[in-house]
């Protein structure tokens, strides 16, 4: 047992030495990662709190969006930088996609609990993006998979109810030599639909890249 403890301490020491060497090389070559910048910023505000206080004094309000994708490290840094300024948080726990880089949806739940106790929480559960039949399907499926799933409510305003596209235009391949021909085909069809009084919001154009759409 003593030999194992000695070996463990040696491994820990080697890992710490390797970490210091890697960090020194990063500084020397100016190849810092986002995680490195977070660590340095957090170290700064902890060892020199006045830096965070000076920074927060420059702002009257803070709005943190996508709060469900924050990590414990980021929350500590944000709280230090915000100070006592007015704060506004926006997020949706069911949309958390950054678990791989340390994000924790429970951080949002804890902040929501604190604000709810103060009467400062506003929930928005109406979905304006999807058709009611789509929401009904996912509500039924997801509620069976997770007890914590919060059902989404479809919008009832006719202006926001998605009735589906009248027509979907898909250029076959905008990367080929006949790119202009494909654009001309799509544009011609668009003109026909618009002249037929089809609302522009009822027409969908799909392409391989955003660049293609911008050019179109």
């Amino acid at each position: 047992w003593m030999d194992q403890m000695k070996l463990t301490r040696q491994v820990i020491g080697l890992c710490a030495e390797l970490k210091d060497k890697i960090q020194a090389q990063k500084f020397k070559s100016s190849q810092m990662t986002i995680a490195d910048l977070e660590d340095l910023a957090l170290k700064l505000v902890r060892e020199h709190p006045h830096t965070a206080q000076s920074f927060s004094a420059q702002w009257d309000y803070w709005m943190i969006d996508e709060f469900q994708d924050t990590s414990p490290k980021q929350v500590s840094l944000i709280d230090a930088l915000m100070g006592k300024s007015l704060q506004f948080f926006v997020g949706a726990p069911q949309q958390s996609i950054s678990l791989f880089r340390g994000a924790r949806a429970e951080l949002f739940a804890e902040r929501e609990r604190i604000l709810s106790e103060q009467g400062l929480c506003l929930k928005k559960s109406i979905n304006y993006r999807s058709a009611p039949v789509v929401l009904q399907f996912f509500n039924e499926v997801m509620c069976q998979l997770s007890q914590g799933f919060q059902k989404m409510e479809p919008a009832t305003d006719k202006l926001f109810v998605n009735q589906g596209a009248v027509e979907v235009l898909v250029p076959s391949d905008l990367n080929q030599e006949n790119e202009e021909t494909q654009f001309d085909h799509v544009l011609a069809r668009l003109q026909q639909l618009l002249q037929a009084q089809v609302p522009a919001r009822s027409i969908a154009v799909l392409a391989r890249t955003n660049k293609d759409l911008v050019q179109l």
Side-chain angles (χ1 to χ4, degrees), residues 168-186:
V168 178
L169 305 177
V170 185
S172 61
D173 193 342
L174 296 183
N175 296 320
Q176 299 298 325
E177 294 181 358
N178 62 344
E179 177 179 296
E180 292 186 2
T181 302
Q182 294 296 331
F183 279 138
D184 290 341
H185 169 75
V186 173

Side-chain angles (χ1 to χ4, degrees), residues 8-25:
T8 300
R9 286 194 293 269
Q10 290 176 340
V11 172
I12 293 175
L14 287 173
C15 290
E17 183 178 348
L18 178 60
K19 178 182 178 181
D20 291 339
K21 288 184 177 180
I22 292 176
Q23 199 75 335
Q25 181 60 33

Side-chain angles (χ1 to χ4, degrees), residues 86-104:
L86 293 176
Q87 305 159 15
F88 189 78
F89 302 92
V90 182
Q94 292 175 176
Q95 296 182 20
S96 182
I97 59 173
S98 301
L99 182 64
F100 68 94
R101 61 169 178 76
R104 294 292 181 270

Side-chain angles (χ1 to χ4, degrees), residues 12-38:
I12 293 175
L14 287 173
C15 290
E17 183 178 348
L18 178 60
K19 178 182 178 181
D20 291 339
K21 288 184 177 180
I22 292 176
Q23 199 75 335
Q25 181 60 33
K26 285 183 175 181
F27 276 116
K28 184 178 179 179
S29 60
S30 298
Q31 294 181 337
M32 307 299 291
T33 66
I34 293 297
D36 293 326
L37 296 177
E38 289 177 351

Side-chain angles (χ1 to χ4, degrees), residues 124 126-133 135 153-164 201-202:
K124 305 288 287 184
I126 299 178
N127 185 309
Y128 292 94
R129 297 180 177 180
S130 306
V133 64
L135 295 180
E153 301 177 17
T156 56
D157 192 322
K158 292 182 179 180
L159 292 177
F160 295 101
V161 175
N162 182 2
Q163 300 294 339
R201 68 169 181 241
S202 297

Side-chain angles (χ1 to χ4, degrees), residues 15-159:
C15 290
E17 183 178 348
L18 178 60
K19 178 182 178 181
D20 291 339
K21 288 184 177 180
I22 292 176
Q23 199 75 335
Q25 181 60 33
K26 285 183 175 181
F27 276 116
K28 184 178 179 179
S29 60
S30 298
Q31 294 181 337
M32 307 299 291
T33 66
I34 293 297
D36 293 326
L37 296 177
E38 289 177 351
D39 288 335
L40 290 172
L42 195 54
K43 179 180 180 182
L44 176 65
V45 299
R46 284 175 173 173
E47 296 181 358
H48 306 280
H50 65 277
T51 58
Q53 295 169 3
S54 176
F55 184 82
S56 63
Q58 302 178 48
W59 311 93
D60 296 322
Y61 308 96
W62 283 76
M63 188 189 79
I64 309 300
D65 198 8
E66 305 293 353
F67 194 77
Q68 77 278 356
D69 285 324
T70 52
S71 66
K73 186 187 306 181
Q74 291 170 336
V75 170
S76 297
L77 182 58
I78 289 171
D79 286 341
L81 293 176
M82 290 189 299
K84 296 182 180 180
S85 302
L86 293 176
Q87 305 159 15
F88 189 78
F89 302 92
V90 182
Q94 292 175 176
Q95 296 182 20
S96 182
I97 59 173
S98 301
L99 182 64
F100 68 94
R101 61 169 178 76
R104 294 292 181 270
E106 55 265 29
L107 295 173
F108 179 90
E110 175 61 17
R111 190 59 55 100
E112 180 183 23
R113 181 190 65 79
I114 294 174
L115 295 177
S116 294
E117 292 178 351
Q118 301 174 11
L120 300 174
C121 184
L122 177 63
K123 293 187 178 182
K124 305 288 287 184
S125 59
I126 299 178
N127 185 309
Y128 292 94
R129 297 180 177 180
S130 306
V133 64
V134 174
L135 295 180
Q136 181 180 358
F137 169 77
F138 280 104
N139 284 342
E140 293 179 359
V141 172
M142 296 305 298
C143 283
Q144 296 180 38
L145 297 177
S146 172
Q147 295 182 349
F149 181 80
Q150 299 179 11
K151 290 185 176 182
M152 299 173 287
E153 301 177 17
T156 56
D157 192 322
K158 292 182 179 180
L159 292 177

